[in-house]
């Protein structure tokens, strides 16, 4: 503890502890009975110290959290005739902060209420600075005066009667250390005179179009002091909306504006505040409008846009002017359903005020004569209508791409055939918004026939996949717990039933993805627009009825689900940035989420089985036999080294056309393995002296069994313990008078002594390389051969081959299209029980990445290779194990993963990074001595300094360049095609024929 408690502090701590733990009071009475007054005092002191230590621990926790350079926050607070009660509560909420580095800068704007000056004059805390102005300057002048005293890195705006949460500054600090944001804001709620909280506002992430509709940032807001000074501070011309004006000017200088989705600020509801009464400051409405107009004039130029008031206070409507009226091409796919189509077209002709448009109708296999007649008549009647034959199987994406090729417009408007225009300005607004420099996809508000909302922006992840927020609600203004459906705002996606995209954007991002057949491609193109730096916009004044896809049934093909699953996963995992993670994602009506996630257990280590002796018995054989000693043949074990050893063994056996035997020493064959290998090999009991050409013998239960061995047997092994048990038995075998063994074939697939850091395991593994009997070494990479041979080991002869891709994986690579859909998914090779795979370093690297990666929560991190419990990575993120996958499952995960991490502390180039890289996964791996596989292809990053920070930085750089759709590049063809994987076999055959057979 930092210091000793005095009597007063001991008493306070004791009472505090008793309030929390009433049962300890009963225990105290026991102490009185047993030990008298002395015992009571001692026990009370013990409880007081316990509470004191908890308090100290809490304080120290904050100090531990504040790593590296601290951030000083300057809370700027203008004051004028505020009720002292509320001012005191506001200041107390700052003084109660768990984060210690703050100051409050108060400017009293010549309050006429003497009690305000009197109260401020009594403040003795050196962190609270007070300036008394002689003249009233207004809220902007007072705020600027307060800001002049600020010395902090960030300025925080706070009203003099509001409160902030105890963890507000600590939360901002942690977020700023991660993001280095220029501006940061949080969610907020209301607090009444009795201290009751209500009406939370859970905001979306930074939404420039929403900011032009209303000052949704509200509080808590913090920004860099340098940015404030660069902007020139507050402007008194916009008093009442001075924060709005300031933030709009800041947004002209930076878009690094970050949202903290937590309620950190409580706005006091008083009769004189806009929190309780929107009419309390009507001048703020006009000031807000002027602030927006000034911003638009600065950004776009005079006359390029105009802001209007709406029927809702503090909600604005921005309209954009166009120098010319670009041609809008309205594209409508249809099949029959003439009545619906006629309603849609009539509403367009009757309602639309925009003068320059054409309509492209895609006739997708219409069968009725009535339809053909309608098409003929409408083209004769309307010169701006063209019907295009699209006689192929229905594919929504293909039809709309076809329509764009037939269109002449500068803006493409995609429309269902079952809509009806309500608002005359619908097309004007779509076109003018779509033509703005940063606009991607623009959508409107679609209503059901009963007038309730069907679409007001798509939230990805809603309902499990994606759905329309506000669905089923009335199209009226409301502001809690989410923003209103009646304000223009940015969205992740819009529905394809009514969306507009400029030709310029289409030329940049491409058309609809035709691998989608019915649904999903409208959301996918929206995501692609965001990835290319555009903003998608929802405009509530673009209003149409939508009669909910009357022209087709509800069938959705499996491919649409598969592709959507890939595309949506990042949002389903991390949340839609234009929604809020505190809202229930399973409800289209915004409601606050109630269920909190429960942390999961961390990973556990697995022990390694010890070595058991294996014994021979003599047998007479006429024919040469090649023996392979393996730990197991069960499916969950036959990957990597075992799979390679088996393939090499079978290739040698086939080349020699000799008898072969597989000897299992660790795991009995399960039914699946028996069914699989029983076709090629005869499964023989170790007690038999079998003459079968190809055998499998189990020596797992070898305590009471011996293995039949003759002078014609030659042994091949790959793991050090399988080499050890054979070598060890031969030492005794020879001592008992038998001949020396034929040269062992030692398939060395890694430097196995290195698996055990200066231990018994190291010595045992290395002893197998120093065996006194002749050995032929076969290395599975040139890097490994160079590393091992440089250590001075002696072998009769050495051969080498380079790894090739598993045949099934190679076939899957060949199936990849020119572009591949990638999830926001990181695949790691995670084996906690295998030290050489550096699982702990891997976990620490991922923890660092989570703390650094701004959108970490939207990523899924999968661990393959070994089943283990989930590992908590911080900030609600987990490393989820999928265990040992089948080849087919593994191929699917490889196809869909965008990034990967695979570590191995050895000179051998491990297989997972190679496999990931040919599936277009950007993978971080590690170098080691002479191993550097970054030259294998451009998808591999090989780090030499294997620190968690370095790995996290490389992974962050990869993830920052994420795109849903990536081009597939055909690389490393010899590796992928796996032609002649063991080129040394013919030479080895000669050695065996000459020396043994």
């Amino acid at each position: 503890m930092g210091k000793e408690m005095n009597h007063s502090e001991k008493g306070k701590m004791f009472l505090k502890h008793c309030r929390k733990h009433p049962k300890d009071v009963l225990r105290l009475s026991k102490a009185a009975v047993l030990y008298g007054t002395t015992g009571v005092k001692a026990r009370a002191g013990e409880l007081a110290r316990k509470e004191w230590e908890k308090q100290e621990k809490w304080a120290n926790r904050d100090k531990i959290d504040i790593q590296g350079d601290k951030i000083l926050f300057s809370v700027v607070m203008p004051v004028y005739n505020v009720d002292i009660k509320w001012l005191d509560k506001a200041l107390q909420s700052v003084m109660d902060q768990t984060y210690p580095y703050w100051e409050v800068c108060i400017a009293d704007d010549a309050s006429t209420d003497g009690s305000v000056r009197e109260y401020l004059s009594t403040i003795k805390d050196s962190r609270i600075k007070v300036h008394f102005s002689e003249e009233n300057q207004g809220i902007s002048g007072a705020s600027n005066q307060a800001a002049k005293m600020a010395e902090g890195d960030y300025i925080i705006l706070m009203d003099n009667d509001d409160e902030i949460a105890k963890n507000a500054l600590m939360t901002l600090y942690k977020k700023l250390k991660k993001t280095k944001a220029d501006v940061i804001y949080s969610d907020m709620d209301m607090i009444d005179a009795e201290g009751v909280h209500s009406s939370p506002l859970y905001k979306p992430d930074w939404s420039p179009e929403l900011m032009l509709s209303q000052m949704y940032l509200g509080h808590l807001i913090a920004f860099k002091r340098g940015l404030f000074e660069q902007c020139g501070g507050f402007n008194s011309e916009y008093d009442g909306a001075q924060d709005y004006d300031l933030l709009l000017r800041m947004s002209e200088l930076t878009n690094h504006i970050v949202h903290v989705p937590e309620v950190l600020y409580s706005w006091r509801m008083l009769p004189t505040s806009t929190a309780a009464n929107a009419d309390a400051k009507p001048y703020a409405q006009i000031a807000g409008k002027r602030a927006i107009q000034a911003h638009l004039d600065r950004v776009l130029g005079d006359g390029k846009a105009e802001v209007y008031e709406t029927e809702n206070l503090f909600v604005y409507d921005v309209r954009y002017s166009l120098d010319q009226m670009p041609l809008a091409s309205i594209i409508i796919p249809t099949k029959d359903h003439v009545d619906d189509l006629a309603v849609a077209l009539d509403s367009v002709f009757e309602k639309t005020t925009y003068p320059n448009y054409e309509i492209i109708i895609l006739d997708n296999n219409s069968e009725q004569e009535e339809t053909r007649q309608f098409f003929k008549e409408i083209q004769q009647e309307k010169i701006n209508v063209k019907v295009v034959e699209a006689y192929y199987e229905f594919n929504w994406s293909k039809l709309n791409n076809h329509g764009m090729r037939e269109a002449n417009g500068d803006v493409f408007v995609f429309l269902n055939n079952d809509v009806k225009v309500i608002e005359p300005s619908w097309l004007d607004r779509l076109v003018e918004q779509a033509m703005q420099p940063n606009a991607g996809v623009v959508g409107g508000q679609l209503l059901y026939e009963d007038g309730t909302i069907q679409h007001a922006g798509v939230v990805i992840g809603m309902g499990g996949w994606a759905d329309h927020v506000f669905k089923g609600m009335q199209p009226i203004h409301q502001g809690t717990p989410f923003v209103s459906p009646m304000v223009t705002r940015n969205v992740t996606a819009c529905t394809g039933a009514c969306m507009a995209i400029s030709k310029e954007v289409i030329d940049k991002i491409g058309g609809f993805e035709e691998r989608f057949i019915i649904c999903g491609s409208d959301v996918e193109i929206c995501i692609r627009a965001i990835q290319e730096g555009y903003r998608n916009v929802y405009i509530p004044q673009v209003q149409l009825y939508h009669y909910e896809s009357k022209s087709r049934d509800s069938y959705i093909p499996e491919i649409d689900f598969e592709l959507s699953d890939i595309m949506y996963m990042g949002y389903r995992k991390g949340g839609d940035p234009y929604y809020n993670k505190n809202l229930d994602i399973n409800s289209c009506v915004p409601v606050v989420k109630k269920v909190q996630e429960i942390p999961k257990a961390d990973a556990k280590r697995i022990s390694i089985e010890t070595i058991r002796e294996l014994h021979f018995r003599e047998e007479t054989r006429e024919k040469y036999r090649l023996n392979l000693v393996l730990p197991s043949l069960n499916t969950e074990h036959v990957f990597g080294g075992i799979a390679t050893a088996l393939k090499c063994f079978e290739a040698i056996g086939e080349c020699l056309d000799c008898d072969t035997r597989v000897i299992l020493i660790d795991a009995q064959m399960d039914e699946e393995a028996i069914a699989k290998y029983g076709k090629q090999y005869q499964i023989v009991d170790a007690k038999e002296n079998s003459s079968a050409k190809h055998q499998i013998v189990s020596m797992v239960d070898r305590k009471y069994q011996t293995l039949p061995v003759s002078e014609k047997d030659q042994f091949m092994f790959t793991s050090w313990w399988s080499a050890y048990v054979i070598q060890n038995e031969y030492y005794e075998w020879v001592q008992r008078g038998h001949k020396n063994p034929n040269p062992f074939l030692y398939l060395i697939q890694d430097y196995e002594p290195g698996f055990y850091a200066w231990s018994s395991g190291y010595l045992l593994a290395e002893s197998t390389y120093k065996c006194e009997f002749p050995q032929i070494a076969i290395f599975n990479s040139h890097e490994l051969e160079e590393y091992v041979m440089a250590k001075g080991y002696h072998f009769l002869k050495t051969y080498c081959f380079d790894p090739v891709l598993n045949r099934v994986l190679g076939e899957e690579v060949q199936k990849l299209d020119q572009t591949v859909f990638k999830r926001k998914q990181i695949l790691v090779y995670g084996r906690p029980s295998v030290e050489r795979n550096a699982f702990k370093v891997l976990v620490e690297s991922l923890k660092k990445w989570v703390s650094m990666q701004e959108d970490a929560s939207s990523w899924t991190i999968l661990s393959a290779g070994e089943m283990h419990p989930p590992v908590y990575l911080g900030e609600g993120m987990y490393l989820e194990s999928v265990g040992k996958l089948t080849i087919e499952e593994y191929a699917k995960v490889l196809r869909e993963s965008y990034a990967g991490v695979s570590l191995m502390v050895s000179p051998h180039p491990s297989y997972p990074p190679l496999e990931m890289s040919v599936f277009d996964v950007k993978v971080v791996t590690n170098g080691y001595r002479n191993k550097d596989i970054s030259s294998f292809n451009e998808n591999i990053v090989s780090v030499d300094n294997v620190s968690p920070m370095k790995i996290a930085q490389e992974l962050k750089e990869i993830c920052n360049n994420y795109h849903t759709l990536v081009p597939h590049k055909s690389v490393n063809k010899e590796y992928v095609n796996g032609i002649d994987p063991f080129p040394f076999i013919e030479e080895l055959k000669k050695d065996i024929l000459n020396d043994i057979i």
Side-chain angles (χ1 to χ4, degrees):
M1 296 200 318
K3 63 175 185 177
E4 288 298 318
M5 291 181 286
N6 57 37
H7 290 297
S8 174
E9 288 169 333
K10 284 181 180 179
K12 288 179 182 177
M13 290 298 113
F14 173 66
L15 290 174
K16 190 173 184 179
H17 181 88
C18 288
R19 281 196 297 270
K20 291 180 182 177
H21 308 283
K23 288 184 179 179
D24 281 351
V25 179
L26 297 175
R27 297 188 183 102
L28 199 62
S29 63
K30 282 187 178 181
V33 173
L34 293 172
Y35 307 112
T37 307
T38 305
V40 172
K41 286 182 179 179
R43 181 59 179 155
E46 182 183 335
L47 296 177
R49 177 169 290 277
K50 191 175 182 181
E51 191 62 39
W52 179 266
E53 287 173 350
K54 282 184 181 178
Q55 188 167 302
E56 287 282 286
K57 185 177 180 181
W58 177 264
N60 289 334
R61 188 204 68 158
D62 289 338
K63 291 174 185 175
I64 292 169
D65 283 340
I66 303 164
Q67 297 175 356
D69 53 339
K70 62 180 180 291
I71 293 174
L72 177 63
F73 292 107
S74 296
V75 180
V76 166
M77 184 183 292
V79 170
Y80 180 73
N81 287 350
V82 63
D83 189 323
I84 298 304
K85 178 171 63 174
W86 308 129
L87 177 58
D88 184 66
K89 285 185 176 295
L91 291 176
Q92 192 61 49
S93 74
V94 179
M95 290 187 282
D96 288 343
Q97 290 299 298
T98 58
Y99 182 84
Y101 303 110
W102 54 264
E103 63 178 8
V104 181
C105 302
I106 299 174
D108 176 65
D109 197 23
S111 294
T112 57
D113 182 348
S115 65
V116 175
R117 176 181 284 266
E118 182 181 351
Y119 171 83
L120 293 174
S121 299
T122 62
I123 296 175
K124 301 303 182 184
D125 194 322
S126 61
R127 296 173 295 177
I128 301 177
K129 306 174 182 178
V130 182
H131 172 84
F132 295 100
S133 298
E134 296 301 321
E135 297 180 359
N136 184 275
Q137 304 174 71
I139 191 166
S140 292
S143 297
N144 283 334
Q145 189 65 56
K148 286 180 183 178
M149 296 185 284
E151 299 179 47
D153 305 285
Y154 283 81
I155 289 175
I156 291 177
L157 302 182
M158 184 174 178
D159 288 350
N160 54 37
D161 53 2
D162 296 341
E163 295 182 24
I164 58 176
K166 286 185 178 182
N167 66 328
L169 300 187
M170 179 63 76
T171 304
L172 293 188
Y173 167 79
K174 290 178 178 179
K175 193 74 170 182
L176 289 169
K177 292 299 288 183
K178 184 174 181 178
T179 64
K180 313 296 184 188
D182 295 320
V183 180
I184 189 167
Y185 65 97
S186 76
D187 298 334
M188 57 187 286
D189 66 7
M190 305 294 186
I191 186 171
D192 65 15
E194 283 71 43
V196 177
H197 294 262
S198 64
S199 305
L201 176 58
Y202 291 107
K203 308 166 189 175
D205 287 356
W206 172 235
S207 175
E209 269 62 42
L210 178 57
M211 189 66 172
L212 295 177
S213 298
Q214 60 180 178
M215 173 46 170
Y216 82 98
L217 295 188
H219 294 287
L220 184 65
I221 299 177
F223 40 77
K224 287 181 177 176
R225 182 161 59 93
L227 181 61
F228 176 78
E229 293 167 351
Q230 186 181 355
C231 286
F234 292 98
N235 188 336
S236 59
E237 291 182 27
Y238 303 101
D239 275 2
Q242 70 284 342
D243 294 5
Y244 205 166
D245 166 67
L246 177 68
L247 269 296
L248 286 170
R249 283 186 281 126
M250 286 183 175
S251 71
E252 296 164 21
L253 300 175
T254 181
N255 62 359
H256 195 13
I257 301 173
V258 170
H259 170 221
V260 178
E262 293 185 41
V263 174
L264 301 180
Y265 192 96
S266 296
W267 197 6
R268 184 78 62 184
M269 290 191 293
L270 298 172
T272 55
S273 73
T274 51
N277 180 8
D279 294 318
K281 298 179 181 178
Y283 66 94
Q285 166 85 0
I286 303 302
K289 178 185 173 185
R290 291 192 294 105
I292 296 171
Q293 189 63 59
H295 166 75
L296 294 170
D297 292 344
R298 288 190 300 269
V299 173
L300 299 176
D302 293 344
K304 295 295 184 182
E306 188 169 355
V307 59
Y308 298 90
E309 293 182 65
T310 68
E311 61 185 15
N312 300 305
L313 279 173
F314 307 113
V315 176
Y316 306 94
D317 178 20
V318 173
R319 298 295 304 273
Y320 298 94
S321 302
L322 299 172
D323 294 332
Q324 298 177 335
M325 291 287 185
L327 178 64
S329 297
I330 302 173
I331 298 170
I332 307 175
T334 191
K335 177 182 178 182
D336 293 317
H337 291 272
V338 169
D339 292 344
D340 294 327
L341 180 61
V343 169
L345 294 177
D346 288 345
S347 69
V348 171
F349 297 137
E350 292 169 9
K351 293 280 189 178
T352 304
T353 56
Y354 189 80
N356 193 20
Y357 66 90
E358 65 175 0
I359 298 176
I360 310 295
I361 300 172
L362 282 303
D363 176 17
N364 185 220
N365 304 318
S366 293
E367 299 171 351
Q368 299 173 3
E369 180 58 35
E370 177 188 6
T371 305
R372 284 188 281 273
Q373 185 63 31
F374 177 83
F375 288 157
K376 180 179 179 182
E377 291 173 359
I378 195 72
Q379 289 181 95
Q380 291 173 347
E381 181 182 343
K382 303 290 185 181
I383 60 172
N384 61 343
V385 175
K386 178 169 69 171
V387 178
V388 176
E389 293 179 351
Y391 296 160
Y392 42 79
E393 188 174 349
F394 178 82
N395 180 306
W396 189 89
S397 306
K398 185 176 181 180
L399 285 165
N400 283 292
N401 286 342
H402 188 171
M404 282 190 280
R405 292 193 296 271
E406 297 285 342
N408 300 305
D410 300 298
V411 176
F412 303 122
V413 179
F414 306 96
L415 209 62
N416 271 21
N417 64 351
D418 55 357
V419 300
K420 181 180 180 179
V421 175
I422 300 172
E423 168 56 47
S425 67
W426 76 284
L427 190 54
D428 304 73
R429 290 176 179 273
L430 286 176
V431 171
E432 67 192 46
Q433 185 73 59
M435 293 300 290
Q436 295 310 303
N438 296 313
V441 181
V442 184
Q445 185 181 90
L446 301 182
L447 305 179
Y448 289 118
E449 196 168 1
D450 64 1
T452 58
I453 295 173
Q454 187 262 341
H455 172 268
V458 171
V459 174
I460 302 183
M462 184 167 278
W465 292 92
D467 211 335
H468 305 166
V469 66
F470 304 114
K471 187 164 70 174
M473 296 177 65
Q474 294 294 328
I476 56 177
H477 182 60
Q478 56 91 44
T480 182
F482 187 53
V483 297
S484 170
M486 304 310 291
V487 294
T488 298
R489 70 183 199 280
N490 296 108
V491 291
T492 299
C494 306
T495 177
C498 177
M499 62 162 53
I501 314 175
S502 71
K503 184 177 185 301
E504 181 179 336
V505 171
I506 287 291
D507 289 343
K508 176 76 178 292
I509 70 174
F512 293 98
E513 174 54 61
E514 294 183 10
R515 280 176 280 188
F516 288 92
I517 297 172
I518 293 177
C519 65
S521 63
D522 52 353
V523 175
E524 190 277 330
I525 202 170
C526 290
I527 292 174
R528 215 178 328 137
I530 290 174
Q531 291 173 344
E532 292 296 335
Y534 295 104
R535 301 196 298 263
N536 302 326
V537 183
Y538 156 77
I539 306 175
Q541 295 88 350
V542 176
Q543 237 179 21
L544 300 89
Y545 287 116
H546 182 210
Y547 301 116
E548 195 58 16
S549 303
K550 287 182 178 180
S551 59
R552 66 170 178 83
D553 60 30
S554 59
Y555 167 72
I556 298 174
E558 186 63 27
I559 184 64
D560 288 2
F561 282 112
E562 291 178 6
L563 296 178
S564 295
D565 182 39
I566 294 169
M567 178 182 57
Y568 298 168
M569 183 51 71
Y571 293 96
R572 291 163 73 187
K573 179 78 174 175
D576 190 314
Y578 295 115
Y579 204 48
N580 190 296
K581 71 177 187 179
N582 295 290
L583 301 174
D584 188 350
I585 200 66
N586 294 310
S587 172
C588 292
V589 175
V591 292
V592 179
K593 182 171 61 177
K594 295 179 181 179
V595 180
Q596 298 297 319
E597 188 173 12
I598 300 172
K600 302 175 184 177
D602 209 330
K604 297 177 181 178
R605 294 181 61 188
I606 301 171
S607 61
I608 300 173
E609 185 182 13
T610 56
I611 297 171
R612 291 172 292 126
E613 290 185 335
L614 181 151
H615 298 295
F616 298 160
R617 73 174 183 273
E618 187 175 11
E619 122 178 279
T620 302
R621 285 184 61 86
E622 297 296 327
K623 297 177 67 176
Y624 165 84
R625 178 170 60 189
L626 180 64
N627 298 268
L628 173 65
V629 186
L630 284 181
S632 171
L633 275 177
N634 294 335
T635 302
E636 67 268 28
H637 303 131
V638 181
F639 65 96
I642 291 179
T644 301
L646 189 60
K647 288 177 186 174
C648 184
F649 165 74
E650 290 180 341
I652 296 171
E654 184 178 347
C655 183
L656 291 170
D657 190 24
C658 64
D659 290 0
T660 60
R661 180 172 61 172
V662 178
I663 302 159
L664 303 178
I665 60 171
D666 285 355
Q668 298 286 11
M669 295 176 73
D670 58 21
E671 291 182 4
E672 185 180 354
I674 292 171
K676 180 177 180 180
Y677 297 103
K679 299 173 184 177
Q680 181 179 350
Y681 296 90
Q682 183 172 327
I683 299 171
V684 175
D685 192 294
K687 297 174 184 177
E688 299 179 45
N689 287 358
S690 175
S691 60
K693 186 174 179 64
H694 304 296
Q695 307 175 27
I696 295 176
V697 177
S698 173
M699 290 297 292
V700 177
D701 297 327
R702 53 186 177 268
K703 186 173 182 180
Y704 303 107
Q705 297 190 64
T706 56
L707 181 72
V709 172
S710 79
E711 295 178 359
K712 295 290 185 177
D713 279 305
Q714 183 174 27
F715 281 87
M716 177 178 178
F717 27 72
T718 188
S719 60
W720 74 265
W721 62 93
S722 62
Y724 180 88
V725 296
I726 299 300
Q727 294 170 351
N728 188 59
E729 174 61 9
Y730 261 112
Y731 289 132
E732 296 186 17
W733 185 252
V734 171
Q735 288 177 0
R736 293 199 297 268
H738 294 282
K739 293 179 96 175
N740 281 350
N742 293 309
F744 299 135
L745 302 182
Y746 199 158
L747 175 52
I748 301 175
Q749 301 196 65
D750 212 330
Y751 185 66
E752 291 187 273
F755 297 176
Y756 313 95
W758 291 3
S759 63
S760 298
Y762 185 102
L763 296 175
L764 288 171
E766 189 182 39
S767 74
T768 64
Y769 297 168
K770 295 179 175 180
C771 175
E772 65 185 51
F773 301 119
Q775 300 192 98
I776 296 173
I778 303 171
F779 295 98
N780 68 344
S781 73
H782 287 86
E783 292 93 340
L784 181 62
E785 179 183 31
E786 179 186 339
Y787 179 87
V788 172
M789 297 309 293
K791 289 185 172 291
Y793 301 118
H794 175 73
F795 297 100
L796 186 64
K797 198 167 185 179
T798 62
Y799 294 100
C800 187
F801 66 94
D802 286 309
V804 295
L805 188 62
N806 172 278
R807 178 184 57 78
V808 176
L809 291 180
E811 291 171 356
E812 292 297 323
V813 170
Q814 303 291 353
K815 294 176 185 177
L816 295 177
D817 294 324
Q818 292 182 343
T819 55
V820 184
F821 278 99
K822 292 289 185 182
R823 298 178 187 271
K824 270 191 166 182
Q825 181 169 288
I826 301 168
L827 175 64
V828 304
Y829 189 46
R831 297 203 292 170
S833 67
V834 183
E835 287 293 335
R836 67 182 177 277
N837 289 119
F839 187 72
K840 291 178 181 177
V841 173
L842 178 66
V843 169
E844 286 302 312
S845 303
L846 293 172
K847 286 180 179 177
K848 288 281 186 188
W849 175 83
V850 166
S851 71
M852 294 162 53
Q853 187 72 34
E854 194 166 338
D855 65 340
S857 62
S858 66
W859 288 79
T860 298
I861 312 176
L862 299 182
S863 173
E866 174 185 313
M867 184 56 71
H868 60 79
V871 179
Y872 187 62
L873 302 175
E875 301 189 23
M877 295 287 292
Y878 292 88
L879 174 62
E880 301 282 358
S881 175
V882 294
K884 292 176 181 175
L885 301 169
T886 66
I887 290 294
E888 291 74 19
E889 291 169 339
Y890 184 40
K892 184 176 185 294
V893 173
L894 287 171
R895 271 198 313 272
E896 296 174 356
S897 297
Y898 183 79
V901 185
S902 179
L903 305 180
M904 190 168 78
V905 191
S906 82
H908 169 58
S910 57
Y911 295 153
L914 308 181
E915 293 162 348
M916 291 182 196
S917 71
V918 297
F919 276 87
D920 309 291
V921 179
K922 309 291 184 184
V923 57
V924 182
T925 187
N926 64 292
Y928 181 85
R929 298 295 188 268
N930 59 310
K931 177 181 75 174
D932 180 359
I933 58 174
S934 57
S935 60
F936 188 70
N937 64 53
E938 63 183 21
N939 290 326
I940 295 180
V941 177
S942 183
V943 296
D944 180 52
N945 175 8
V946 193
S947 73
M949 178 59 74
K950 178 64 176 174
I951 294 168
Q953 287 172 339
E954 295 290 355
L955 184 59
K956 182 175 185 288
E957 185 172 344
I958 289 170
C959 293
N960 283 345
N961 293 316
Y962 168 76
H963 279 75
T964 304
L965 209 58
V966 301
H968 169 61
K969 296 182 180 179
S970 180
V971 294
N972 308 101
K973 292 183 179 179
E974 289 185 4
Y975 167 76
V976 172
N977 296 331
I979 301 171
D980 194 15
F982 308 112
F984 62 87
I985 285 181
E986 286 295 332
E987 187 176 349
L988 176 62
K989 175 183 177 181
K990 293 178 184 177
D991 291 338
I992 293 174
L993 290 173
N994 293 335
D995 299 338
I996 303 173
I997 303 177

